[in-house]
Structure formats: C-alpha cells, structure tokens
C-alpha cells in the first residue's frame, strides 16, 4: 500500500465521525417509523435493489478498481450523513420559513439532498484527489452515495406506506406494494442518477488544468442534479400521468445517455491505460511485453488462472499484486502525461515501480518461461 498521507487520514477520520453522528438520528427516525415487523419488512424490500445497483457500478469500476473502503464510506455517507443533513435542513426550513408541501418536494428537497450527497464527492476532491482519475471514478462514487441515500429513504417511505402515514391512503399491503413497485422496481436508479451529474463534474475537475473548470464543473454538475431531481419530484405533484410522462420522455432517455457515457468512459480507460503504460515502458518502468496482460480484462483473468495453476493461491496473489501495481502506475502516469498529477505523484510512482520490480521476477504470464525462483 502507498504510505498514508496526512490528508487521507484526515478524510477518513472526518467522514467516519460524520457517519457515526449521522447514524444516531437516522436510526432513531427509522426505529420510530413503525413496529419491528414493519421495519424488518420495509428494510428487506428496500435492500432488494441495492445488490444489483452496486454490482452495476462495480462492473463499471473493473479497469482500475477503487478502494473498497472508500466505496463503503460512500454508501454509509449516503445512508446516514446525507439523509440526516437533508432531513435536518428540510425540517428547519419548514419550521422557520413555512414552505408548502409542493415547494418542499420540488425545490427544497432537491437542493438540500443533492448538496448533502455531493458533499462526499467534494471532500474526495479536496482530500483524496489522488483516488479520482476521471469521469468514471466520479460516476462510481456518486452512484454509491446515491444508493446509500435511496436505501434509507426507501425504508422510511415503505414503512410509512404500510402504516398509512404517508397521506396516500389507509396503508396495508396494497399501499406497501404500490410504493415498492414505484420506488424499488420502477425507479431504484433515481438518486444515483441525480448525483451522477455531480460525479461527472468532479471527474472533469480532476482531469482539467483550468482553474475555472475545476470550480465550475462540480457546480454545474450540482445544478444539473438539482434540476433533474426537482423535475422528477415535481412530476409526482400532478399525478401518475405526469410522473409516467416525465419518466418516459425525459428521465429514462437521460439515464440511458448517462449509462452510455459511463460505458464509453470504461472503454476509454482501456485505451488510455495501454497508451500510458506504453510510455512508461519506454521509460524503463516495466516490461512492454506485460502491458497486454493488464490492459484487457480477459487477459487479466487468464494470467491469474495461469499463475494459480503454476503457484497455487500464493502465485495468484502475486499476479494480482503485480497487475494492480501496473494498473495504478498506468493511471498515475496518464495524469502525469496530461499535466494533472496528484501532489504525491513522485512518492506514489516510486512505490508502484518498487512493487513491480519486487514481484516481477516471481511471476510468468502464459507462454513465458517459468521463473526459477
């Protein structure tokens, strides 16, 4: 592992502390939302879309996987910090300002919720910039925050629907089923989708050499997230017909478009990785013959299977470590070539090169001679 910088430690401490603080009121709100049986049912139903959504983002993140600890912090931030902050601000706003229910739904909720979710991405940009390599990383982290937020929010909505406290009817199984279909089957992607705009803005900021873009890109992403969120929430005010119209005409095509951008970014990472590693190989940082075994996902798997066949679990671990070091070096070298290296570029680069040179003598790729030691 790269030696921890002070900023990394501060980020982890601050985010962990806020997660703990946010969890206390959220768990209390959830506990007061219904009886034990209702909460277990609501939690189980709210959890159903979480696994598939997380799997989609992990699939996008396969070329240069983000630290699982940071992805988990993103989920926890969305579930506890973002929801607690949004509920607090909305509650205070309603108490002191007295906005109508429609205005709260269409304006206040989008502004506060996207601000609280986007704060995690801004903290990453501020303290863990080295972990962000571009648009795809921003999309992945935004997705994790949105999934965590939607999970907790869905528990509250499902419990309220079952209890009949959501103002939509007498409650019971019928109301619960309707809410589950709309929120967990029809639109489980909503919160990750809104926050993705902020993630794209943060990703653009990381890759830009322009000070203006570094500021305006995240701000523009936030504005777009609020507009999309407000349009979505506002459509529910005018009944199911308006909701379906907005879903079919605007939201679903926009979601498809953002997914296409994410897939394009994922594909571009392979080309970028190959180019950056090619330049690194010309500088003598790694053997050029190894590049093909880390640039393509299928080739990575074949190399690991070959290593496992030759050296068992230890051989596979060595291959994984080597591939990960090469991948990290490639993304770091790409940022160097773009003129946007992180502050600890030299330290990280030396660490990855040392890992590569330490492990390389003990591994062999398919078709190569097996090392003698």
């Amino acid at each position: 592992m790269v030696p921890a910088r002070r900023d990394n430690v501060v980020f982890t401490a601050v985010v962990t502390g806020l997660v703990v603080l946010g969890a206390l009121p959220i768990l209390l709100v959830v506990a007061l939302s219904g009886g034990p049986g209702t909460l277990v049912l609501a939690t189980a139903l709210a959890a159903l879309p979480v696994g598939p959504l997380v799997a989609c983002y992990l699939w996008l993140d396969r070329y240069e996987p983000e630290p699982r600890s940071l992805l988990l912090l993103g989920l926890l931030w969305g579930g506890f910090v973002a929801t607690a902050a949004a509920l607090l601000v909305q509650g205070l706003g309603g108490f002191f300002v007295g906005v109508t229910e429609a205005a709260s739904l269409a304006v206040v909720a989008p502004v506060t919720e996207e601000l609280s979710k986007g704060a995690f991405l801004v903290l990453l940009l501020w303290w863990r910039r080295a972990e962000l390599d571009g648009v795809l990383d921003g999309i992945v982290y935004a997705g994790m925050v949105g999934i965590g937020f939607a999970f907790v929010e869905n528990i509250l909505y499902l419990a309220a629907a079952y209890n009949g406290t959501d103002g939509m009817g007498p409650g019971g199984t019928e109301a619960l089923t309707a809410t589950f279909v709309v929120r967990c089957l029809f639109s489980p992607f909503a919160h990750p989708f809104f926050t993705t705009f902020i993630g794209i803005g943060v990703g653009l900021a990381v890759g830009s050499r322009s000070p203006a873009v570094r500021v305006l890109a995240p701000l523009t992403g936030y504005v777009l997230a609020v507009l999309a969120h407000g349009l979505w929430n506002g459509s529910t005010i005018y009944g199911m017909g308006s909701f379906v119209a907005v879903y079919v005409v605007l939201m679903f095509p926009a979601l498809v478009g953002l997914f296409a951008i994410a897939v394009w970014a994922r594909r571009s990472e392979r080309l970028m990785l190959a180019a950056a590693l090619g330049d690194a190989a010309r500088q003598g940082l790694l053997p050029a013959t190894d590049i093909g075994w880390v640039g393509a996902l299928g080739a990575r798997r074949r190399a690991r299977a070959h290593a496992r066949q030759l050296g068992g679990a230890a051989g596979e671990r060595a291959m994984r470590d080597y591939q990960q070091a090469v991948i990290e070096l490639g993304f770091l070298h790409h940022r160097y070539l773009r003129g946007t290296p992180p502050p600890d570029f030299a330290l990280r680069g030396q660490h990855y090169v040392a890992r590569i040179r330490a492990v390389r003598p003990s591994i062999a790729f398919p078709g190569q001679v097996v090392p003698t030691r």
Side-chain angles (χ1 to χ4, degrees):
M1 295 179 60
V2 179
R5 296 177 62 230
R6 183 174 179 273
D7 286 353
N8 297 354
V9 176
V10 172
F11 172 87
T12 302
V14 169
V15 171
T16 302
L18 290 174
V19 165
V20 173
L21 289 175
L24 298 176
I26 290 300
L27 292 176
L28 178 61
V29 169
V30 170
L32 296 175
S33 298
T38 299
L39 292 180
V40 169
L41 179 60
T43 302
L45 292 175
L48 288 179
V50 171
L53 286 173
V54 169
C56 288
Y57 283 99
L58 294 181
W59 177 80
L60 288 174
D61 190 39
R62 290 176 69 191
Y63 272 106
E64 192 261 332
E66 297 305 304
R68 293 297 186 255
S69 59
L70 283 184
L71 296 179
L72 178 60
L73 283 177
L75 281 169
L76 294 175
W77 180 281
F80 294 130
V81 181
T83 49
L87 288 174
L88 176 62
V89 173
Q90 290 172 36
L92 292 176
F95 181 78
F96 289 107
V97 181
V99 295
T100 64
E101 183 177 350
S104 177
L105 185 65
V107 179
V108 178
V111 169
T112 56
E113 291 175 8
E114 295 311 317
L115 185 64
S116 63
K117 288 188 289 180
F120 180 80
L121 297 166
V122 173
L123 289 177
L124 273 178
L125 186 62
W126 187 10
W127 277 326
R128 299 296 298 269
R129 180 183 292 264
E131 299 294 347
L132 296 169
D133 293 304
V135 168
L136 190 59
D137 286 354
I139 291 174
V140 170
Y141 283 115
M144 292 298 164
V145 175
I147 292 169
F149 189 98
F151 171 61
V152 173
E153 188 180 64
N154 284 342
I155 293 175
L156 299 176
Y157 272 95
L158 290 166
Y162 188 78
N163 292 330
T165 56
D166 60 352
M168 300 293 289
T173 304
E174 185 176 344
L176 176 69
T177 301
T179 302
F180 172 75
V181 170
V182 171
R183 297 190 65 87
C184 299
L185 297 183
F186 199 57
S187 58
F189 57 81
H191 277 291
F193 166 70
F194 305 143
T195 314
T196 290
F197 288 105
I198 304 176
I200 291 175
V202 167
L204 292 173
V206 167
S208 176
R209 287 172 287 184
S210 168
V213 171
R214 291 181 178 180
V215 174
L216 293 177
L219 287 177
T220 302
Y222 170 70
V223 171
L224 292 175
V226 170
L227 290 175
H229 196 158
L231 183 63
W232 178 265
N233 283 7
S235 68
T236 63
I237 297 173
Y238 302 101
M240 183 57 70
S242 297
F243 177 78
V244 172
V246 169
Y247 183 94
V248 173
V249 176
L250 292 177
M251 289 302 172
F252 187 73
L255 175 67
V256 172
L258 283 180
F259 181 75
I261 291 173
V263 172
W264 169 82
R266 183 181 185 268
R267 230 175 128 187
S268 299
E269 282 197 343
R270 175 180 176 178
L271 301 176
M272 176 273 292
L273 183 61
L277 288 176
D279 187 81
R282 286 189 288 273
Q283 296 186 29
L285 302 180
L286 77 156
T289 54
D290 293 356
I291 295 175
W293 294 108
V294 297
L297 296 176
R300 288 186 200 174
R301 289 192 295 270
R302 289 194 299 274
R304 291 170 183 174
H306 180 72
R308 184 170 59 251
Q309 184 179 15
L310 293 179
E316 184 180 6
R317 282 196 301 272
M319 180 63 75
R320 285 182 179 273
D321 186 54
Y322 180 77
Q323 289 178 332
Q324 188 61 33
V326 172
I327 292 165
E328 295 287 356
L329 177 66
F331 277 83
L332 183 68
H333 198 67
H334 169 71
R335 294 181 62 177
Y336 164 74
L337 295 175
R338 282 182 57 89
T340 58
D344 59 348
F345 163 76
L347 179 62
R348 294 173 72 89
Q350 292 169 6
H351 173 77
Y352 296 141
V353 170
R355 278 174 59 188
I356 289 170
R357 291 176 177 172
V359 178
R360 185 61 183 90
S362 63
I363 63 172
F365 293 101
Q368 295 180 342
V369 177
V370 179
T372 58
R373 68 178 185 88

